Amino acid sequence: MQGILSIQSHVVYGHAGNSSAVFPMQRMGFEVWPIHTVQFSNHTQYPQGWTGHAFSADDIDTLVQGIDNIGQLQSCQALVTGYQGSAEQCQAIERTVQRLKAANPAALYVCDPVMGAPDKGCIVAPGIAEALINTLMPMADVIVPNQFELSQFAEMPIKTLEDAVTACQKAMAKGPKMVLVKHLYCLSDSEFSMMLATPEGCYLAQRPQFDFERQPVGVGDLISALFTAGLAKGFSATQAFAHCHNAVYGVLKETHDCNEWELQTIAAQQELVHPSASYAVEKIS
């Protein structure tokens, strides 16, 4: 039984982390094996706060060992990681990648390097950004940063499309074979921009930006999940990019139409498989 291992946060209510990633990958036809780095009552942008706690790094090691014990790690097609609750968890991810690659050298490691962003403040514990930049991102096959996270990894400011292309090239020189910039916000306030960089070139996709009273949380986790599932299904990089871009638009449109803050992933589930929108992917370099 082939599957995708997803190691990231989990919320009981709403859709963020594994709660945003697992169902879309299942809906695209995959068995998904979730391991939670933290379990919170809800995502952290609620003004009322949240409850819950982070798990220990040992929990990740123990659960991965258990999967290996029953001979299933060799059946893992891809590992996707997102929010980590501690620097020690990042070390456990490093061990997991090494163990997975030993069991199945063809498995993909997709790293969503959640570091936070200036507009939301620092939302990760000390040492996590350093572990992502120095260890996990270089060992990943695919990285899915936002503009801020890409600038940290490439060690350069990003203010233009040309900057973004250069930053992606610098990022790939450090190890990853592919970079999906999940939000390139320097380009436009009215359009949501995403960029894909591969050895064959860079590609841009843009779609209308919805005006939310409060911005939904978990969109990046949804992007990483859909792109991972597309690659695991055998889509080309550009096909996976286009599918991901259009499917996320469909979920956000449903969320906006319902006047909701939490992603309407269940209501829009058909969009995950057959997106109704078809925004073009343009090769830019």
Side-chain angles (χ1 to χ4, degrees):
M1 182 189 299
Q2 291 189 317
I4 296 174
L5 183 60
S6 181
I7 307 179
Q8 50 189 310
S9 63
H10 172 75
V11 294
V12 176
Y13 176 81
H15 297 281
N18 269 332
S19 302
S20 181
V22 171
F23 176 72
M25 292 190 287
Q26 291 173 328
R27 193 65 179 79
M28 285 185 68
F30 290 95
E31 292 289 341
V32 184
W33 311 328
I35 295 177
H36 305 326
T37 56
V38 303
Q39 179 158 279
F40 293 160
S41 56
N42 48 273
H43 68 64
T44 60
Q45 300 304 303
Y46 277 85
Q48 303 94 325
W50 68 94
T51 59
H53 63 272
F55 295 106
S56 75
D58 289 342
D59 289 327
I60 297 174
D61 287 321
T62 300
L63 292 171
V64 173
Q65 177 67 61
I67 295 170
D68 201 12
N69 288 346
I70 60 173
Q72 291 304 313
L73 203 58
Q74 63 188 1
S75 301
C76 181
Q77 290 177 267
L79 163 66
V80 57
T81 62
Y83 181 92
Q84 302 302 308
S86 68
E88 291 75 20
Q89 285 185 341
C90 292
Q91 294 169 3
I93 297 299
E94 179 184 7
R95 293 189 290 270
T96 298
V97 175
Q98 293 167 342
R99 183 187 290 270
L100 173 60
K101 293 287 188 175
N104 179 12
L108 281 176
Y109 173 36
V110 180
C111 176
D112 183 349
V114 181
M115 299 178 200
D119 61 335
K120 291 185 179 179
C122 183
I123 60 170
V124 296
I128 290 178
E130 293 80 3
L132 288 166
I133 291 168
N134 297 325
T135 304
L136 297 186
M137 295 173 78
M139 71 191 306
D141 298 294
V142 182
I143 58 172
V144 191
N146 61 26
Q147 181 177 313
F148 169 73
E149 293 155 352
L150 176 60
S151 71
Q152 296 301 295
F153 187 50
E155 301 179 279
M156 62 171 285
I158 300 172
K159 298 180 180 179
T160 66
L161 182 59
E162 291 74 19
D163 289 343
V165 170
T166 300
C168 285
Q169 292 169 341
K170 286 187 174 184
M172 289 191 292
K174 293 187 176 188
K177 304 174 185 68
M178 201 178 300
V179 180
L180 172 60
V181 188
K182 59 194 173 192
H183 188 191
L184 190 59
Y185 40 78
C186 68
L187 298 188
S188 172
D189 292 329
S190 60
E191 291 185 302
F192 190 96
S193 305
M194 293 170 55
M195 193 171 83
L196 173 69
T198 73
E200 288 72 43
C202 293
Y203 306 83
L204 180 68
Q206 295 180 297
R207 52 181 171 76
Q209 178 85 284
F210 291 106
D211 184 19
F212 287 99
E213 183 177 345
R214 295 184 294 180
Q215 283 298 317
V217 173
V219 179
D221 308 315
L222 179 61
I223 290 170
S224 297
L226 289 169
F227 189 63
T228 300
L231 293 176
K233 283 182 79 74
F235 292 176
S236 71
T238 52
Q239 287 173 332
F241 180 46
H243 177 91
C244 166
H245 180 257
N246 290 319
V248 171
Y249 172 81
V251 174
L252 285 170
K253 184 177 186 302
E254 180 70 21
T255 304
H256 185 265
D257 290 349
C258 292
N259 195 30
E260 291 285 350
W261 185 23
E262 293 284 359
L263 290 174
Q264 297 300 293
T265 309
I266 306 304
Q269 62 180 278
Q270 195 62 23
E271 294 286 340
L272 305 172
V273 183
H274 300 294
S276 55
S278 183
Y279 291 99
V281 170
E282 174 190 2
K283 188 171 185 180
I284 55 175
S285 71

